[in-house]
Amino acid sequence: MALYYNPLSFLESRVTSHVVLFYSLEHFYTFKDIVQGGKVKSFGLAKKYFFTIGKINFTAIGGMIGAAIASFSFDLAIANGATFVFAFGSVGSLESDSAIGDCVCPVFAVDFTGISQDYNIQEKTTELAVLDTNLQVQSAIASISHPLTVTIEKLKNWKKQNIRFLDMEVAPLAICAKQKKIPFYPLFICSDVIIIDGEWRNERGTISFQMQEKQGLALLAAKLQFFASL
């Protein structure tokens, strides 16, 4: 007698209705210490753990750098019950006076990865929900497929379009969340500054930036605490 299995049964795909995405595993594990998260398990191509703040149970999902893996994990979370999604990630700023280590909330996102078109969504731009109005920046973030695709000509054009930040994930997720009517609240920490002449400056790996990352993740925890109290 032949036995047949659904591959999804091996993915440990159960999640809570409230999900927090971390593109970086470093952020994923640091946040686990802050919120005293549970056992880390597999989640498709990523990892997950459960944690509780107030009366709300959350699922943290991490390890999804790049739009393709992030979109797969996002879809898998929604397919398994996620109805409210937060996210934390790093961005590069196109403004030379930007402070590395600052947390920001841009108000628009533009998808240059092509992932949203894979979902037959023609729009490339969408508004972003703002998690903290004190961190709101009246400009856009553009998601790109890889930092090596950045050119000086692109940087000049993006600045003319009021694009101030770059990442590799958030825009296609925000566009898909809008289509699926899933509330999506991203928070970013500025880890790099990309100067218009092509110079790329970052302080990742330094003790001061690691402290600022922990402060940013603690801010996220505080925002979830406020959300849970509503």
Side-chain angles (χ1 to χ4, degrees):
M1 178 178 172
L3 296 178
Y4 297 93
Y5 297 93
N6 182 347
L8 287 177
S9 65
F10 296 98
L11 294 178
E12 281 285 341
S13 52
R14 181 178 65 89
V15 300
T16 57
S17 59
H18 293 71
V19 167
V20 186
L21 304 179
F22 297 94
Y23 313 118
S24 160
L25 278 177
E26 181 180 358
H27 293 158
F28 173 79
Y29 280 108
T30 301
F31 193 75
K32 181 178 183 292
D33 292 337
I34 293 174
V35 298
Q36 298 182 335
K39 183 179 179 180
V40 175
K41 300 180 179 181
S42 296
F43 182 76
L45 301 174
K47 303 289 185 183
K48 74 172 183 180
Y49 58 79
F50 300 113
F51 66 97
T52 301
I53 293 181
K55 297 180 179 180
I56 297 182
N57 296 320
F58 292 87
T59 304
I61 301 173
M64 54 184 79
I65 292 177
I69 297 177
S71 296
F72 173 83
S73 301
F74 185 71
D75 276 348
L76 189 59
I78 293 173
N80 286 279
T83 58
F84 211 108
V85 181
F86 301 86
F88 185 91
S90 301
V91 297
S93 174
L94 305 186
E95 300 292 336
S96 58
D97 59 349
S98 293
I100 290 179
D102 280 358
C103 286
V104 294
C105 291
V107 295
F108 294 99
V110 184
D111 181 21
F112 291 132
T113 69
I115 292 294
S116 57
Q117 292 180 345
D118 291 342
Y119 289 86
N120 294 319
I121 303 174
Q122 297 306 312
E123 61 181 306
K124 294 175 59 175
T125 303
T126 188
E127 292 186 24
L128 290 177
V130 176
L131 183 62
D132 188 332
T133 55
N134 293 322
L135 305 176
Q136 181 172 316
V137 181
Q138 292 295 328
S139 56
I141 178 171
S143 293
I144 58 176
S145 57
H146 194 280
L148 292 179
T149 64
V150 176
T151 64
I152 293 177
E153 189 64 30
K154 287 181 179 179
L155 290 174
K156 292 179 179 178
N157 290 333
W158 290 338
K159 291 200 71 172
K160 292 177 182 178
Q161 299 172 47
N162 195 30
I163 293 173
R164 182 172 176 179
F165 303 101
L166 300 179
D167 88 328
M168 296 195 300
E169 298 92 7
V170 74
L173 300 190
I175 290 171
C176 291
K178 178 182 177 181
Q179 184 192 54
K180 297 178 181 181
K181 298 182 180 179
I182 299 292
F184 179 60
Y185 287 85
L187 175 65
F188 306 93
I189 184 168
C190 182
S191 60
D192 304 77
V193 173
I194 305 104
I195 311 301
I196 200 68
D197 63 3
E199 177 189 349
W200 202 297
R201 176 167 57 88
N202 75 72
E203 297 178 9
R204 298 185 190 190
T206 65
I207 294 177
S208 61
F209 182 70
Q210 290 172 354
M211 292 177 61
Q212 289 170 309
E213 278 187 312
K214 289 181 180 179
Q215 291 172 356
L217 290 164
L219 173 63
L220 173 62
K223 290 300 173 182
L224 297 181
Q225 178 72 56
F226 177 76
F227 176 83
S229 69
L230 297 177

